[in-house]
Amino acid sequence: MKSLESKDERGFKRFSLFMMLLITLLTFLPFVLMLVSSFTDESTLVKDGYSFFPEKFSLDAYFYIYQNLSTFLRAYGVSIFVTVVGTTISLIITAMIAYPIARKDFKYRNVLAFIVFFTMLFSGGVVPTYIMWTKVFAIQNTIAALIFPNYLLSAFNVFLVVNFFRNNVPVSLIESAQIDGASEMKIFFKIMLPLSVPVLATVGLFTALIYWNDWINALYFISDTKLYGIQNLLINLMNNIQFLNSDSASTALGTNSVTLPSTAVRMAMGVIGILPILLALPFLQKYLIKGVVIGAVKE
């Protein structure tokens, strides 16, 4: 059977495919450069700069990280725990707020929607927020300080889920469940959530990225280094390397200046920090695309 596509349409598809491959390659090149730089000798980086084909390779950066392996594993554990728990709680709260807003028979849905929308326009500010979390809730130097402030709920995510509920879950399905005697909780957990996997996966990925890359909460609320996640550990290690490489360090220690692979270590830390996200993204990509397209289009 002959294709119904014209010659121009086939040419346009080939051109579009070529452009997307080119854009993908250009997007991926910075990560490749970061990976190659992490295996490059420090003196080569200082002399020649960043290169895809360095003159001399070295494992010094990863050897330095290996010397702090236990610290890295603990930080990874903290980041993974915070990301998983924070994302799970965030998804549950987001869906439970979005569900009544999406229900047209809920009397106070407009009031609830306004309260959620109000948080997109105004905030209490950094100082009042800090005082509230530290004085009222006393979460400083606890794992809760890395989960609850700032990222637990996003108004944008709520309205994304609301739009998905309204446009992709038939009202007749909810009504039939009510006729059969299903409670609201049963409708929510047995019908709404299973049908909303694409948009929840999308929101979950966005939230997980925020939690994984977060360093602000630890900066504000954490002074115990044992509670540092991977991002704060990387910042702390980089500050230590810069200090040890500085002239002030040799003066304070009464020794010659210490030379550590600061640039290569920075690249290696970037690779370590982004690797778990790169490994998880392929498994969520199909849900990400479907959730963004369906959840963002209103018919």
Side-chain angles (χ1 to χ4, degrees):
M1 183 177 179
K2 294 184 178 180
S3 175
L4 298 178
E5 294 181 352
S6 65
K7 184 177 180 180
D8 291 340
E9 289 176 334
R10 290 194 297 270
F12 178 75
K13 282 189 174 181
R14 294 191 185 98
F15 175 76
S16 300
L17 179 61
F18 172 77
M19 291 302 298
M20 290 304 299
L21 289 174
L22 180 61
I23 293 173
T24 302
L25 178 63
L26 293 175
T27 304
F28 193 66
L29 281 179
F31 176 75
V32 176
L33 181 61
M34 181 172 63
L35 180 63
V36 173
S37 300
S38 69
F39 288 99
T40 304
D41 182 71
E42 181 71 14
S43 59
T44 303
L45 282 173
V46 174
K47 182 181 68 173
D48 302 329
Y50 300 103
S51 173
F52 289 102
F53 306 99
E55 181 181 310
K56 184 179 179 181
F57 288 93
S58 173
L59 294 175
D60 289 347
Y62 289 97
F63 180 73
Y64 176 81
I65 293 175
Y66 178 76
Q67 291 178 317
N68 299 274
L69 184 60
S70 59
T71 305
F72 269 92
L73 291 178
R74 183 176 63 244
Y76 256 118
V78 171
S79 289
I80 292 172
F81 178 83
V82 169
T83 300
V84 172
V85 174
T87 301
T88 302
I89 297 176
S90 177
L91 285 177
I92 294 173
I93 295 176
T94 298
M96 293 186 73
I97 294 178
Y99 176 58
I101 297 177
R103 290 286 299 274
K104 294 183 179 180
D105 55 343
F106 179 59
K107 182 177 180 181
Y108 302 104
R109 66 187 183 93
N110 290 331
V111 176
L112 182 58
F114 173 77
I115 293 174
V116 174
F117 178 72
F118 186 84
T119 63
M120 299 178 68
L121 305 178
F122 303 97
S123 67
V126 175
V127 175
T129 301
Y130 177 82
I131 293 175
M132 179 190 72
W133 286 114
T134 56
K135 300 300 182 182
V136 178
F137 295 101
I139 64 170
Q140 63 269 34
N141 283 325
T142 65
I143 201 70
L146 302 175
I147 297 175
F148 292 104
N150 300 322
Y151 311 120
L152 196 62
L153 184 64
S154 167
F156 174 80
N157 291 341
V158 170
F159 288 117
L160 187 66
V161 178
V162 168
N163 201 26
F164 187 93
F165 284 165
R166 287 177 177 174
N167 296 321
N168 297 278
V169 181
V171 178
S172 57
L173 184 62
I174 298 176
E175 292 175 346
S176 63
Q178 290 174 329
I179 293 174
D180 291 337
S183 64
E184 292 295 340
M185 293 297 291
K186 192 169 186 178
I187 293 173
F188 176 74
F189 285 104
K190 297 293 185 180
I191 297 178
M192 303 301 290
L193 291 186
L195 293 176
S196 307
V197 170
V199 71
L200 292 179
T202 303
V203 171
L205 180 59
F206 290 158
T207 306
L209 285 172
I210 292 173
Y211 271 113
W212 183 263
N213 292 319
D214 172 55
W215 55 274
I216 292 294
N217 281 344
L219 181 66
Y220 288 164
F221 304 111
I222 302 296
S223 58
D224 185 359
T225 56
K226 292 182 179 180
L227 293 177
Y228 275 1
I230 190 66
Q231 306 300 337
N232 293 92
L233 176 64
L234 299 183
I235 294 173
N236 194 36
L237 287 177
M238 282 309 307
N239 290 336
N240 292 340
I241 291 174
Q242 290 175 358
F243 173 75
L244 291 174
N245 284 338
S246 65
D247 294 333
S248 58
S250 59
T251 302
L253 298 174
T255 60
N256 294 329
S257 180
V258 180
T259 301
L260 293 174
S262 58
T263 306
V265 167
R266 187 182 295 112
M267 297 298 104
M269 290 177 177
V271 173
I272 291 174
I274 199 175
L275 190 60
I277 300 299
L278 291 179
L279 294 176
L281 186 59
F283 299 99
L284 299 173
Q285 185 177 8
K286 62 178 181 180
Y287 297 114
L288 174 64
I289 296 173
K290 187 176 180 182
V292 170
V293 173
I294 296 178
V297 176
K298 184 175 181 180
E299 298 179 354

